[in-house]
């Protein structure tokens, strides 16, 4: 009788965002942003090397949150945003970074889009994850990691703009690109201290591509790009065949213009 092959759950962090940040700093404190062999990165996290399952899961979780990157095969490096988080001169930047990292894991991003205004019970989240392909042996750890991350990032306590993914993406572009832009000469601060304070002010941005007198229902369709980026298509409801043809034509025209510019 053939053995029953158990279906793997979708990729997801094995622990929460706060834990991930603290582990990423263990690598940063030893290596800065230099690229290091995977085994060295695992050793900084307390593992002998990266060959065992626990080490691989930990490093994978840091990558899911976008805290480490792989500049070349067999090597890892801390992302520049973690350095900015450490030396940030104000809590508003830290809150924006937390809001960015919590949406990096695709399953977390999907759940946050689904749960507008707050989280349901663990039972509901567990049911939804099982519907999305998670098996019973891994679903509880994902629920725990997701809820603790939402609480740490204060996602639903933050001003408008964090609930909608497109508005959160816009805010990413407001982050300083370097430490010099953020605060001249950076001064180290404790990265394991209490949670950052909630920003006192916030910009509330109107929905993209909509005029003020647009009363039609809309759907926002995410398109995942390389490098953790996303594009959004905002479409009205109903959407007619002629509308689709026009949209496709416009996109093709845009791509043609880009190709001509590159040449």
């Amino acid at each position: 009788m053939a053995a029953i092959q158990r279906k793997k759950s979708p990729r997801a962090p094995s622990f929460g965002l706060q834990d991930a940040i603290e582990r990423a700093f263990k690598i940063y404190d030893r290596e800065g942003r230099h690229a290091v062999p995977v085994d060295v990165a695992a050793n900084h996290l307390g593992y002998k090397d990266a060959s065992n399952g626990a080490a691989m899961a930990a490093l994978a979780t840091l990558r899911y949150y976008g805290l480490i990157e792989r500049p070349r095969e067999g090597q890892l490096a801390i992302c520049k945003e973690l350095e900015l988080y450490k030396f940030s001169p104000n809590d508003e930047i830290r809150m924006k970074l937390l809001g960015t990292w919590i949406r990096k894991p695709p399953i977390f991003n999907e759940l946050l889009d689904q749960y507008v205004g707050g989280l349901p019970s663990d039972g509901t989240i567990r049911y939804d994850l099982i519907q999305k392909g998670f098996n019973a042996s891994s679903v509880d750890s994902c629920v725990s990691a997701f809820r603790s991350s939402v609480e740490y990032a204060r996602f639903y306590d933050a001003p408008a703009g964090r609930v909608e993914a497109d508005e959160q993406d816009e805010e990413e572009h407001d982050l300083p690109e370097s430490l010099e832009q953020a605060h001249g000469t950076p001064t180290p601060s404790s990265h394991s201290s209490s949670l950052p304070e909630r920003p006192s002010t916030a910009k509330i941005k109107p929905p993209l591509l909509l005029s003020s007198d647009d009363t039609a229902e809309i759907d926002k369709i995410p398109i995942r790009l390389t490098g953790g980026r996303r594009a959004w298509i905002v479409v009205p409801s109903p959407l007619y065949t002629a509308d689709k043809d026009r949209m496709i034509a416009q996109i093709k025209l845009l791509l043609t213009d880009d190709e001509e510019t590159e040449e």
Side-chain angles (χ1 to χ4, degrees):
M1 181 177 177
I4 299 176
Q5 187 175 8
R6 184 165 56 181
K7 179 183 176 182
K8 283 188 175 181
S9 295
R11 295 179 179 180
S14 56
F15 45 82
L17 179 57
Q18 180 180 10
D19 191 2
I21 292 173
E22 292 174 356
R23 296 195 194 198
F25 273 122
K26 290 182 179 180
I27 301 175
Y28 177 83
D29 291 342
R30 297 289 297 276
E31 305 289 353
R33 293 197 56 238
H34 296 291
V36 299
V38 177
D39 285 341
V40 173
N43 187 255
H44 292 328
L45 297 181
Y47 304 101
K48 182 179 179 180
D49 52 44
S51 62
N52 68 82
M56 290 189 290
L59 291 172
T61 293
L62 298 190
R63 288 192 63 197
Y64 294 155
Y65 286 119
L67 299 172
I68 59 175
E69 54 195 15
R70 185 166 58 183
R72 60 186 68 91
E73 187 68 27
Q75 292 194 326
L76 298 173
I78 293 297
C79 70
K80 66 179 181 180
E81 288 80 12
L82 187 72
E83 191 173 55
L84 178 60
Y85 181 86
K86 178 175 183 178
F87 296 111
S88 173
N90 62 71
D91 291 330
E92 184 175 2
I93 292 177
R94 294 191 187 97
M95 292 298 290
K96 288 180 179 179
L97 286 168
L98 292 176
T100 298
W101 289 329
I102 196 175
R103 278 194 177 274
K104 288 289 185 180
I107 188 62
F108 284 10
N109 185 54
E110 188 174 342
L111 291 175
L112 290 171
D113 284 342
Q114 181 175 343
Y115 303 141
V116 178
L119 294 184
S121 68
D122 285 357
T124 298
I125 300 174
R126 186 180 299 107
Y127 173 82
D128 289 339
L129 288 174
I130 290 176
Q131 294 294 105
K132 296 177 188 296
F134 280 78
N135 57 51
S137 63
S138 62
V139 67
D140 287 338
S141 65
C142 185
V143 172
S144 176
F146 177 60
R147 182 174 290 280
S148 66
S149 298
V150 170
E151 292 173 354
Y152 180 68
R154 296 179 179 175
F155 186 85
Y156 293 105
D157 294 337
R162 294 285 280 295
V163 175
E164 291 293 340
D166 57 338
E167 295 177 0
Q168 185 272 332
D169 280 347
E170 287 184 55
E171 290 182 348
E172 289 181 29
H173 298 293
D174 296 333
L175 295 176
E177 295 181 358
S178 66
L179 298 179
E180 290 74 14
Q181 286 178 282
H183 191 241
T185 302
T187 301
S189 61
S190 173
H191 52 69
S192 58
S193 58
S194 59
L195 293 174
E197 294 295 329
R198 175 180 174 179
S200 58
T201 60
K203 295 181 291 183
I204 299 178
K205 301 179 181 179
L208 295 174
L209 306 180
L210 295 179
S211 62
S212 59
D213 59 350
D214 194 341
T215 58
E217 294 183 1
I218 62 168
D219 289 318
K220 300 175 184 178
I221 304 173
I223 300 177
R224 304 192 184 283
L225 308 174
T226 59
R229 299 171 300 136
R230 279 175 297 162
W232 287 83
I233 296 180
V234 181
V235 298
S237 180
L239 182 66
Y240 302 105
T241 300
D243 299 331
K244 296 177 184 178
D245 294 339
R246 184 175 180 85
M247 291 170 64
I248 293 172
Q250 290 289 336
I251 292 173
K252 287 182 177 179
L253 179 60
L254 176 62
L255 294 176
T256 301
D257 291 341
D258 289 342
E259 291 170 359
E260 291 176 353
T261 302
E262 290 175 359
E263 294 176 355

